[in-house]
Amino acid sequence: MHGIGQQLKGQETIRAEWSSRLRDGARLAASGPAGTEVAERLSDTDIGFAFYGDAFRRPGQTLGVGDPLPTAADLTEYERELLSEWWRVAAETDPAVVRADERTLVRAPRAVQTALRVLSGSAFFAGLSERAMIGNLVQVRRYFTEPQTRAAIQQRVADSVDGGTRVIVAHSLGSVIAYEALCAHPEWPVRALVTLGSPLGVPNLIFDRLRPAPVAAADGRRRGAWPGSVSAWANVADAGDVVALVKDLRPLFGPRVVSSIVHNGAKAHDVRPYLTAPETGRGILAGLVGDVPESDHGG
């Protein structure tokens, strides 16, 4: 499952970008006769895609004189808060990014414009236009605040899973969507979840808005539910990935999550190096080889 910013693509486009890299990651991770055999046998016909990007594609329209395009001034409070988090983490990981004086700076339109300008010059967001950055913020907000959009995207996942689905690999916002789908369908035969560059751990804006809602655990912390039927969950994050704000998901979802830090080079959030990482391949093989222990789904 893809992440944000894919609304101008389609299922076959995503397939062309993902399939060979996903197979490469599995082969790089293969060890032992069983794992090697499965990795070598993996083909395009074994890989399906739940495409939902078109749910965020703006419908065509004839613009009249003076019809405005979305600007920084149009961002909601949710989007400004997420932008603030991106700015904060980017400043911690990129020496070229100046720090905001305080998190509330991006509440004013002028400060939002400053944040967008600063981030567009960062290593993480280099090459991403201001309009594209605004669009990405809007997609995250729409998923969590528009019930009809959330339901339609969840249905895409449900339509893509069948009796032979053993592993779900999900990037960025797709990891949130996949997690919620697995929680809603514990009857699915999925053995492994692999999340890449995941924002699942972002407090308030994402973690606390998940369905089902996190609950208080014995240690006093809020804990998210274990995702349905899976026995193995591998979470892979680049050290400089601003979207994957919280790299280690174990405190939030339990010690069974295998959290790994990788290095994707200049494109920290790019799905392509994530897919070829051996850590990703091991997560995939955990669901395909079938040698992982059965889950008690205790969370």
Side-chain angles (χ1 to χ4, degrees), residues 116-175:
L116 291 168
R117 185 175 63 252
V118 168
L119 287 175
S120 66
S122 69
F124 184 86
F125 289 102
L128 193 64
S129 70
E130 177 182 308
R131 185 179 175 189
M133 208 178 305
I134 290 173
N136 289 345
L137 290 163
V138 170
Q139 287 187 15
V140 178
R141 188 267 303 164
R142 286 187 61 193
Y143 180 77
F144 283 107
T145 62
E146 296 180 2
Q148 70 278 14
T149 299
R150 196 177 200 165
I153 291 173
Q154 283 294 318
Q155 189 59 49
R156 296 286 182 90
V157 186
D159 292 341
S160 301
V161 173
D162 60 26
T165 306
R166 294 293 178 265
V167 182
I168 292 182
V169 181
H171 178 237
S172 191
L173 178 61
S175 68

Side-chain angles (χ1 to χ4, degrees), residues 5 9 22 32 35 46 70 101 136 150 152-153 181 192 202 205 221 252 294:
K9 298 181 181 178
L22 188 149
D46 298 314
D101 291 334
N136 289 345
R150 196 177 200 165
I153 291 173
V202 178
L205 296 171
R221 297 179 180 179
L252 298 174
E294 290 297 319

Side-chain angles (χ1 to χ4, degrees), residues 179-190 226-230 297:
Y179 168 83
E180 291 193 337
L182 285 164
C183 287
H185 294 278
E187 77 280 6
W188 284 353
V190 180
W226 186 256
S229 60
V230 305
H297 313 318

Side-chain angles (χ1 to χ4, degrees), residues 87-99 118 121-124 240:
W87 187 358
R88 179 180 65 80
V89 178
E92 292 175 354
T93 58
D94 187 346
V97 176
V98 297
R99 293 180 179 271
V118 168
S122 69
F124 184 86

Side-chain angles (χ1 to χ4, degrees), residues 1-6 18 52 82 86 89 124-125 136 140 144 168-179 193-202 206 233-249 253 257-264 267-277 279-280:
M1 292 195 62
H2 63 82
I4 55 177
Q6 306 302 307
W18 280 50
Y52 62 90
L82 184 56
W86 285 357
V89 178
F124 184 86
F125 289 102
N136 289 345
V140 178
F144 283 107
I168 292 182
V169 181
H171 178 237
S172 191
L173 178 61
S175 68
V176 176
I177 297 166
Y179 168 83
L193 170 64
V194 182
T195 49
L196 311 173
S198 175
L200 274 164
V202 178
I206 293 179
W233 179 357
N235 183 63
V236 185
D238 183 280
D241 192 335
V242 172
V243 174
L245 195 68
V246 177
K247 317 295 183 189
D248 187 356
L249 297 183
F253 297 97
V257 181
V258 178
S259 290
S260 302
I261 298 294
V262 297
H263 300 282
N264 290 341
K267 299 290 187 179
H269 192 60
D270 193 327
V271 71
R272 291 171 294 184
Y274 270 130
L275 289 171
T276 58
E279 291 81 1
T280 300

Side-chain angles (χ1 to χ4, degrees), residues 61-83:
Q61 58 182 314
T62 301
L63 294 176
V65 177
D67 283 352
L69 292 170
T71 67
D74 299 318
L75 293 184
T76 66
E77 182 66 24
Y78 179 99
E79 292 151 3
R80 293 177 183 181
E81 183 69 15
L82 184 56
L83 178 63

